């Protein structure tokens, strides 16, 4: 008996993960049908994708972008319904016409739509780590209530998922080890780091990613956020989620068991591998990625991350242990800091100090705050953004800036 194809909605369709998802889906037309697409403001990208995949519905968070897409698709004679606004993206996520939702919107912008999909009981392919960072416990509760299934797509968390024991509780697991490439600046010295440009930070040696995620890889804040996400996804204390620097990005994660066994997931650094796994789960299907050969495993390197070189990991662990709304604060502060760096307002070496300054400023209020609803996470997010913006404004004495722990000086 042939089953009906999965009806797929892709949130963040115009981004790197979204496009890779659609490429994998297009290779399996009998198994996956693209029902809906959503994005923020990339009208040209969405028009291209809608013409190719002909979804029933499209949602754009930006109203002007939605108007542009609507006019273009109407001129093409396509019957695609185009809606606008954050609520429209959430509606796409919860729509009855879909059963599988790829959540790949970047940053906190993906929180509400991810929660909407979870509450609607969908199969969630979670590529956006920020919702679990900001509202992890709440998402778990909502999934338990609705019956939603969450399959992580981040390469590290998908690797852990594939190595996880059959018993869901993971009672025999001692720890999780997430690997990190170290990014494009892994071997850069202090003087070189002070001169890093956005182009330098976005030149990742292994992965093709968006600019924000690429900068997070360079600071290793992405790994700090992934520690928090893994703790929620697999219900382990953050102290049992560790990080190893692995420049080749072949081993994506390891799971250590109490008997001393280690299971590792290995694959080429290609997002189509975890995407295909998540789309087909609990079955398997072709990803289109190059196959990993055993001889390619010679010379793999592993090392512990240097806390002095990657202070973002320390800040993230401190925030995770503080609890409350602090993870939402960390994420928001980092988004503002990275945006400032990409706009050449602050130096690369200022990103983590600015994040720490925000965390320390709002900690008295947010460390004890309960995060019982999405509104609580969004309130902490907004407060962190206000604080980060104010700190940047205070520092803006003209020209590009370099943030240190105590002072701000011209680069």
């Amino acid at each position: 008996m042939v089953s009906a194809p999965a009806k797929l909605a892709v949130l963040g369709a115009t981004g790197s993960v979204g496009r890779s998802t659609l490429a994998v889906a297009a290779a399996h037309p009998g198994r996956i049908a693209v029902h809906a697409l959503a994005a923020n403001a990339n009208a040209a990208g969405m028009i291209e994708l809608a013409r190719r995949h002909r979804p029933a519905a499209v949602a754009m968070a930006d109203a002007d972008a939605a108007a542009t897409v609507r006019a273009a698709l109407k001129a093409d004679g396509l019957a695609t319904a185009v809606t606008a606004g954050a609520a429209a993206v959430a509606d796409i996520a919860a729509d009855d016409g879909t059963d599988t939702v790829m959540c790949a919107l970047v940053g906190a912008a993906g929180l509400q739509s991810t929660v909407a999909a979870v509450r609607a009981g969908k199969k969630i392919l979670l590529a956006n780590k920020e919702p679990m960072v900001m509202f992890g416990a709440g998402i778990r509760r909502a999934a338990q209530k609705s019956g939603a299934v969450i399959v992580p797509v981040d390469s590290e968390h998908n690797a852990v998922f594939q190595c996880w024991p059959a018993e869901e509780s993971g009672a025999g697991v001692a720890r999780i080890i997430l690997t990190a490439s170290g990014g494009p600046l892994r071997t850069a010295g202090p003087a070189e780091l002070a001169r890093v440009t956005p182009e330098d930070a976005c030149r990742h040696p292994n992965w093709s990613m968006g600019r924000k995620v690429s900068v997070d890889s360079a600071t290793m804040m992405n790994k700090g956020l992934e520690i928090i996400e893994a703790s929620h996804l697999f219900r382990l204390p953050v102290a049992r989620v560790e990080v190893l620097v692995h420049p080749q990005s072949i081993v994506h994660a390891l799971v250590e068991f109490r008997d001393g066994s280690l299971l590792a997931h290995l694959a080429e650094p290609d997002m189509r591998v975890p995407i295909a796994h998540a789309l087909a789960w609990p079955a398997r299907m072709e990803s289109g990625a190059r196959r990993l050969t055993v001889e390619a495993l010679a010379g793999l390197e592993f090392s512990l991350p240097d806390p002095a070189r990657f202070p973002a990991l320390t800040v993230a662990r401190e925030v995770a242990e503080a609890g409350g709304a602090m993870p939402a604060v960390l994420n928001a502060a980092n988004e503002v800091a990275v945006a400032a760096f990409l706009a050449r307002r602050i130096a690369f070496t200022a990103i983590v100090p600015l994040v720490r300054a925000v965390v320390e400023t709002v900690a008295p209020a947010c460390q004890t705050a309960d995060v019982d609803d999405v509104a609580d996470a969004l309130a902490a997010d907004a407060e962190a953004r206000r604080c980060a913006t104010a700190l940047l404004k205070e520092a803006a004495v003209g020209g590009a800036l370099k943030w240190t722990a105590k002072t701000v000086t011209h680069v």
Side-chain angles (χ1 to χ4, degrees):
M1 179 178 178
V2 179
S3 59
K7 294 171 288 185
L8 175 68
V10 182
L11 314 182
T14 59
S16 174
V17 171
R19 286 179 175 275
S20 292
T21 301
L22 291 168
V24 174
H28 299 277
R31 297 182 66 166
I32 304 164
V34 177
H35 176 78
L37 303 176
N40 181 24
N42 185 348
M46 182 57 79
I47 292 167
E48 171 205 342
L49 293 175
R51 285 170 173 165
R52 185 184 309 159
H53 298 282
R54 297 178 176 266
V58 162
M60 302 296 292
D62 181 83
D64 291 338
T68 301
V69 173
R70 187 181 299 112
L73 299 187
K74 183 178 180 180
D76 289 343
L78 296 180
T80 303
V82 181
T83 53
V89 176
D91 288 343
I92 286 280
D95 187 271
D96 288 340
T98 66
D99 48 47
T100 303
V101 181
M102 168 60 78
C103 297
L105 285 165
V106 176
L111 174 61
Q112 289 176 294
S113 55
T114 298
V115 171
V118 172
R119 287 176 174 168
K122 308 293 186 182
K123 177 184 175 182
I124 312 298
L125 314 184
L126 189 62
N128 174 9
K129 61 179 68 65
E130 287 83 1
M132 290 303 293
V133 171
M134 297 174 67
F135 192 51
I139 288 174
R140 285 205 322 266
R141 289 194 299 269
Q144 187 173 18
K145 183 176 181 179
S146 70
V149 175
I150 299 175
V151 183
V153 174
D154 243 355
S155 62
E156 299 83 1
H157 300 87
N158 181 265
V160 174
F161 185 86
Q162 294 196 49
C163 294
W164 202 250
E167 69 275 10
E168 188 178 345
S169 68
V173 173
R175 61 174 176 156
I176 287 171
I177 303 171
L178 307 177
T179 60
S181 70
L185 309 172
R186 177 176 57 89
T187 60
E192 186 178 354
L193 289 175
R195 298 190 300 270
V196 166
T197 66
E199 292 74 22
D200 296 331
C202 292
R203 201 173 291 120
H204 199 284
N206 301 334
W207 297 96
S208 175
M209 304 183 293
R211 285 164 64 80
K212 192 269 181 184
V213 179
S214 295
V215 175
D216 284 347
S217 177
T219 63
M220 218 182 277
M221 183 62 80
N222 69 325
K223 214 54 54 177
L225 297 175
E226 287 171 13
I227 289 171
I228 299 171
E229 180 187 11
S231 175
H232 284 300
L233 282 172
F234 301 104
R235 302 190 185 189
L236 287 180
V238 292
R240 288 167 60 190
V241 183
E242 300 181 13
V243 172
L244 274 180
V245 176
H246 169 49
Q248 294 80 23
S249 298
I250 296 296
V251 178
H252 300 285
L254 305 96
V255 176
E256 182 180 343
F257 295 86
R258 290 180 179 174
D259 61 7
S261 301
L262 272 173
L263 292 185
H265 174 274
L266 292 78
E268 288 285 346
D270 187 325
M271 281 305 298
R272 289 177 296 176
V273 174
I275 288 168
H277 170 264
L279 281 169
W281 185 88
R284 297 272 180 173
M285 67 185 189
E286 290 286 342
S287 68
R290 185 174 65 180
R291 299 299 179 96
L292 182 66
T293 60
V294 175
E295 56 268 26
L297 307 184
L300 296 185
E301 303 169 71
F302 301 90
S303 62
L304 294 173
D306 179 1
R309 175 65 185 79
F310 297 112
L313 288 175
T314 301
V315 176
R317 286 194 181 278
E318 291 172 356
V319 162
E321 290 166 2
M326 291 306 296
V329 169
L330 173 75
N331 180 69
N334 181 62
E335 287 190 21
V336 174
V338 171
F341 166 67
L342 288 172
R344 304 179 196 275
R345 295 177 60 198
I346 63 172
F348 177 79
T349 49
I351 295 173
V352 176
L354 176 55
V355 171
R356 180 177 281 283
V358 174
V359 166
E360 292 176 352
T361 300
V362 303
C366 292
Q367 185 170 338
T368 57
D370 292 327
V371 187
D372 295 325
D373 195 76
V374 174
D376 300 324
L378 292 175
D381 176 275
E383 179 58 29
R385 291 177 193 275
R386 281 193 293 269
C387 179
T389 301
L391 288 173
L392 283 170
K393 187 176 181 180
E394 290 174 11
V397 293
L401 301 175
K402 177 182 177 181
W403 194 288
T404 67
K406 299 293 183 182
T407 63
V408 177
T409 58
H410 288 289
V411 174

